[in-house]
C-alpha cells in the first residue's frame, strides 16, 4: 500500500512526541488507516540542535516552505506555534491541496474562520484537537459527541499553569508570587507568564470552544478576560470558608441564541466536579439541554498528551483521504452572532469591602444593592485585627452584570467604603 | 433535499427521547447533515398505550418486521432492548442494507462481533454509543480520540444503580438493603435488581469497552464478575477509615498484549478522580501510554442523555450516507486474544479477618502471606465489642491473584481464622 507522507513544521517537545508516536505505534496506526505513515520532511529552527530522538538528517530543513511545497506530502502537521508565518504556511499548504493538523490555539482563535473557509474551498481537512486542552478529545466531543444536543454552557479549566498556581495557593497557602515562581522553576510557567496568568491563553481556547459549542463565529474580542494576578491568599481563604474553590474558569453560556464568554477567577462550589481538578490538569465541563452535566478531564499540555491528539487527528485525516471525503465534514458556524448584553448576563458575586468601622455603614451598603435590585445571599461584617477598617463579605444571588456594575459605580461615591478589596464571580 | 428516513424499534422512555430530539432540534440537525430527518415508522409493543408525545398513528406498528422490511427506511434505531428478537431484526436489517444504531449493551456484548462482521460484509454502519455510559461519548473517544495511543487501563463506574446504592451507603451510612429499596422506589433499580447489583450489566459494558480499547475480541465470559450485594456498612466504614471510597469498578487492563477484565466492588483512594463520582452518574477513567490519565463523566442513563448519544450516532451515520462511506470506518479487532493468567494479574487487597483472640495468631497469619510472597502494606488487629473474635485488617502491596488465591486457600485450613469476613481489590 502506498504510504501517506506527512510534513512536520516544528520539532520541539510536541513535534518530538508526534515522531515518537507515529514511529512507535506504526502497526497500530497502519492497521487503522490501511497504509504506513511516513514523516517525510521536518522543518526546524536550528538544524544543529541536539535532540532526544534520531531523525534522518536528510529529512530536516530550516525552510518551512520546502515542506509546504513538497509535492509528495499529503498532510502538514504544524507544531511551530505562534502566528507569524504559520498562517501563511497553512494557507499556502491548503492552496496546494494539503490537509492540515495544527496544535496552534493562537492561530485558530484569531484566524480560524479564514483558515476553515479556505479549507472548505479546497476540500481539505483542518483538524485542531490539540489546540484546546491537550490530550482531552474535547473538540471531537463538541463536534460529534454532542452533535444532537443544544449546548447551553461550557466551563473550562483550560490553562494548566494558572490551575497549578491556584492549587498551590489553595492547598499549601502559598502566595501568588511564590506559587508563580515555583511554576516557573518547574517549567510550567514561562519567564514572561503574562499570556497564562492574565487569562489570554484561556480566552483563545474559549473562543475555539464557543465557536464549536454554539455554532456561531466567536471572535477573541468577544471574550471578556481577567487573570489571576490579583488573587490573594486571603481571597482563597475566604473562598474556602464559604465552601468554594478558586479556579480560573472560562465560562461560555448561550441562551435564546445569545451568548457570552468570559475568563476570570471564579469561586466554584467545592462539590462541583470541576472544583476538584487540581495541578496542571485541565477539564471541560459541558452542559447540554438533553445530555445534562458532563465533564472531560485530562492532561492539558505536555509533549505526549498533545501529540496523542495530533496523531488521532492524523488518523482521522488519513481515513478521510482513503475514503475521498476530506473537507466534507467541516463544521461551519451557521448561526448569526448575537452577544448577550450586560442586562442579560446573570451570576452570583462575592465582594470583600473595606469600610469605615462605624454604625450605619452596613445599612448604607445594603441600601445600594436594594436600589439596583440585587438581592443578597449572605452578608458578614467582621473586624480585621490587621486593618483599622471593618470588612464586609457579601455573596449576592444571581444578579445581572449591568446591575452589579451600577452597584460598583455607586460604591465609588459612597464615602463609607474605603475600597472594594475583591470581587469575584461565584458558580455552582 | 431528499429526507433521510429512520425506522424506530421501541418507543419507551429512550425512544420517546429520540423522537423529541429529532423533532425539537430539526434545524440544528439538518444544518449538519444537509437534509431533513424523518422518523418514518415506529414499532411498539402496545399501540394503545398512552404516551408523552404526539406521534402520527399511521407511523405506529406492533410488528417490527414491518419497519425492517420498509424499503423507504435508510436507518434503523433499535431501542427495544433485550436479545430475543433484536438480533434477528438487526441482522435482517443489515441484509437489506440498512444502517443500525442501537443502545443495546446486551446485544453488543453478546453478539457484537457477529453483527459487526455482517455490517462490514454489507458495508453498513453499526453505531452503539448509547450502549455504554448513556450520554458520555466514550465509544467515540476510544475509537477516534485515542486512535493514536495504546490504552493500558480502563476503569469504569458504568452502572448508575449500584453507584447510587454505594453512594447512599457511604454518605448516609445506609445499609445495603435500605439503599437498594430507596433506589427501587426512585425507579433507579428494577424490582428484580440482579443484573445491576450482581455486576452483570457492568460486565457487558466492560466487554464492549475492552474490545474497543484493546482492539481484541473480548467476550462476556472473559470478564470476572462480583456484585455489591455482599458489601456491608462495616466494609464501607473500614474503607473510609483507610482513606478509600467503595465503588463497583469495571477494570480492564492490558499489558504486553495480554488483558484481564473484572467487575467488582473496589476500594479506591479518595483523591482519585473516579472516587468522587456519586449518585447515578457514570464515569470512565482511561489511561493511555502517551495521553496519561483522562476521565469522562456524565449521566449514565436516563431518556434524554441516552437519546443524545443515539441521535449523535444518527448524525454520524447520515453524514457517512451522504458521503457514501458507510461501513468503512468500522473498528475490527485485529489483535489475537490473549488473557492474562492469574500469575500476571496484580493488585492490592483489603482483607478483614475474624480470628481467635489469643496470642500468636497474627504471627501465624503473617507467616502465610510470607510463604506465598505477598508483602503487606498495613496490618491492624483490634477487638470488636460486638464480637468475641478479634478483627485483623490487612492491606497488601500489589500481589498476584494467583498468590492471593493460595493465601486464601491456606486460610481455610488455618484453624485460628474463624472467617474471612471481607476481601476487596484496592486501587489508586
Amino acid at each position: 500500500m502506498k504510504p501517506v507522507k506527512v510534513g512536520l513544521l516544528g520539532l520541539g517537545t510536541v513535534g518530538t512526541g508526534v515522531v515518537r508516536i507515529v514511529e512507535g505505534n506504526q502497526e497500530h496506526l497502519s492497521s487503522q488507516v490501511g497504509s504506513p505513515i511516513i514523516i517525510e520532511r521536518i522543518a526546524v529552527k536550528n538544524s544543529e540542535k541536539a535532540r532526544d530522538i534520531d531523525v534522518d538528517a536528510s529529512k530536516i530543513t530550516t525552510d518551512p516552505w520546502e515542506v509546504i511545497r513538497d509535492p509528495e506530502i499529503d498532510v502538514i502537521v504544524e507544531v511551530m506555534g505562534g502566528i507569524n508565518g504559520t498562517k501563511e504556511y497553512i494557507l499556502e499548504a491548503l492552496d496546494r491541496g494539503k490537509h492540515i493538523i495544527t496544535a496552534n490555539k493562537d492561530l485558530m482563535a484569531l484566524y480560524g474562520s479564514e483558515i476553515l473557509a479556505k479549507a472548505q474551498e479546497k476540500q481539505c481537512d483542518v483538524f485542531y484537537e490539540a489546540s484546546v486542552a491537550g490530550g482531552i478529545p474535547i473538540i471531537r466531543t463538541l463536534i460529534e459527541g454532542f452533535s444532537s444536543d443544544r449546548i447551553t454552557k461550557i466551563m473550562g479549566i483550560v490553562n494548566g499553569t494558572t490551575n497549578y498556581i491556584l492549587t498551590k495557593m489553595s492547598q499549601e497557602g502559598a502566595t501568588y508570587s511564590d506559587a508563580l515562581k515555583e511554576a516557573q522553576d518547574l517549567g510550567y510557567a514561562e519567564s514572561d507568564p503574562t499570556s497564562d496568568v492574565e487569562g489570554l491563553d484561556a480566552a483563545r481556547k474559549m473562543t475555539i470552544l464557543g465557536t464549536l459549542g454554539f455554532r456561531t463565529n466567536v471572535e477573541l474580542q468577544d471574550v471578556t478576560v481577567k487573570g489571576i494576578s490579583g488573587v490573594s491568599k486571603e481571597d482563597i481563604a475566604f473562598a474556602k470558608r464559604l465552601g468554594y474553590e478558586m479556579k480560573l474558569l472560562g465560562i461560555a453560556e448561550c441562551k435564546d441564541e445569545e451568548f457570552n464568554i468570559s475568563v476570570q477567577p471564579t469561586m466554584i462550589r467545592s462539590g462541583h466536579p470541576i472544583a476538584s481538578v487540581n495541578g496542571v490538569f485541565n477539564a471541560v465541563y459541558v452542559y447540554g439541554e438533553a445530555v445534562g452535566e458532563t465533564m472531560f478531564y485530562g492532561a492539558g499540555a505536555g509533549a505526549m498528551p498533545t501529540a496523542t491528539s495530533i496523531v488521532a487527528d492524523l488518523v482521522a485525516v488519513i481515513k478521510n483521504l482513503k475514503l475521498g471525503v476530506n473537507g466534507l465534514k467541516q463544521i461551519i458556524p451557521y448561526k448569526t452572532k448575537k452577544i448577550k448584553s450586560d442586562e442579560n448576563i446573570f451570576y452570583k458575586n462575592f465582594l470583600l469591602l473595606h469600610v469605615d468601622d462605624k454604625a450605619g455603614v452596613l445599612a448604607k451598603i445594603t441600601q445600594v444593592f436594594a436600589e439596583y435590585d440585587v438581592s443578597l445571599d449572605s452578608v458578614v461584617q467582621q473586624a480585621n485585627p490587621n486593618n483599622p477598617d471593618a470588612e464586609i463579605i457579601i455573596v449576592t444571588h444571581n444578579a445581572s452584570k449591568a446591575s452589579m456594575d451600577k452597584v460598583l459605580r455607586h460604591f465609588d461615591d459612597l464615602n463609607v467604603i474605603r475600597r472594594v478589596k475583591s470581587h469575584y464571580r461565584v458558580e455552582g
Side-chain angles (χ1 to χ4, degrees), chain A residues 11 42 64 126 161 246 294 309 320 337-338 397 408:
Chain A
L11 191 59
I42 306 175
V126 173
T161 308
M246 184 79 79
T294 61
S309 286
N320 287 347
K337 181 159 120 179
K338 289 186 213 149
H397 287 300
L408 291 167

Coordinates of all heavy atoms in Angstrom, one line a residue, chain A residues 11 42 64 126 161 246 294 309 320 337-338 397 408:
Chain A
L11 N 9.9 20.9 15.5 CA 10.4 19.6 16.2 C 10.9 20.0 17.6 O 11.9 19.6 18.0 CB 11.6 19.0 15.4 CG 12.0 17.6 15.7 CD1 10.8 16.6 15.6 CD2 13.2 17.1 14.9
I42 N 10.8 17.5 7.8 CA 10.6 18.2 9.1 C 11.3 19.6 9.0 O 12.5 19.6 8.7 CB 11.2 17.4 10.3 CG1 10.6 16.0 10.3 CG2 10.9 18.1 11.6 CD1 11.2 15.1 11.4
P64 N 10.6 26.2 6.2 CA 9.3 25.6 6.1 C 8.7 25.5 4.7 O 7.9 24.6 4.4 CB 8.5 26.5 7.0 CG 9.4 27.2 7.9 CD 10.7 27.3 7.1
V126 N -9.0 20.5 8.0 CA -8.2 21.2 9.0 C -8.6 20.7 10.4 O -9.8 20.9 10.8 CB -8.3 22.7 8.9 CG1 -7.6 23.4 10.1 CG2 -7.8 23.3 7.6
T161 N -1.1 26.2 33.8 CA -0.2 27.0 34.6 C -1.0 27.7 35.7 O -0.6 27.6 36.9 CB 0.4 28.1 33.7 OG1 1.0 27.4 32.5 CG2 1.5 28.9 34.4
M246 N -11.2 28.4 44.4 CA -10.9 29.5 43.4 C -10.3 28.8 42.2 O -9.3 28.1 42.3 CB -10.0 30.5 44.0 CG -9.7 31.7 43.1 SD -11.1 32.9 43.1 CE -10.7 33.7 44.7
T294 N -21.9 17.0 31.9 CA -20.8 16.1 31.6 C -19.5 16.8 31.9 O -19.4 18.0 32.0 CB -20.8 15.7 30.1 OG1 -20.6 16.9 29.3 CG2 -22.1 15.1 29.6
S309 N -3.3 13.7 20.7 CA -4.4 14.4 20.0 C -4.0 14.7 18.5 O -4.8 14.5 17.6 CB -4.8 15.7 20.6 OG -5.5 15.5 21.8
N320 N -10.1 9.8 6.1 CA -10.9 10.6 5.1 C -10.2 10.6 3.7 O -10.9 10.6 2.7 CB -11.0 12.1 5.6 CG -12.0 12.2 6.8 OD1 -12.8 11.3 7.0 ND2 -12.0 13.3 7.4
K337 N -24.2 35.7 14.8 CA -23.6 36.0 16.1 C -24.4 37.0 16.8 O -24.7 38.1 16.3 CB -22.2 36.6 15.8 CG -21.5 36.9 17.1 CD -20.0 36.9 16.8 CE -19.4 38.3 17.1 NZ -17.9 38.3 16.8
K338 N -24.9 36.7 18.0 CA -25.6 37.6 18.9 C -25.0 37.5 20.3 O -25.0 36.5 20.9 CB -27.1 37.2 19.0 CG -27.8 37.5 17.7 CD -29.3 37.2 18.0 CE -30.0 36.7 16.8 NZ -31.1 35.7 17.1
H397 N -27.2 36.9 45.3 CA -27.9 35.9 44.5 C -27.6 36.2 43.0 O -26.8 37.2 42.8 CB -29.4 36.0 44.7 CG -29.9 35.4 46.0 ND1 -29.6 34.1 46.3 CD2 -30.5 35.9 47.1 CE1 -30.1 33.8 47.5 NE2 -30.6 34.9 48.0
L408 N -21.3 48.8 41.8 CA -19.9 49.1 42.0 C -19.6 50.6 41.7 O -18.8 51.2 42.4 CB -19.0 48.2 41.1 CG -19.1 46.8 41.6 CD1 -18.4 45.9 40.5 CD2 -18.3 46.6 42.9

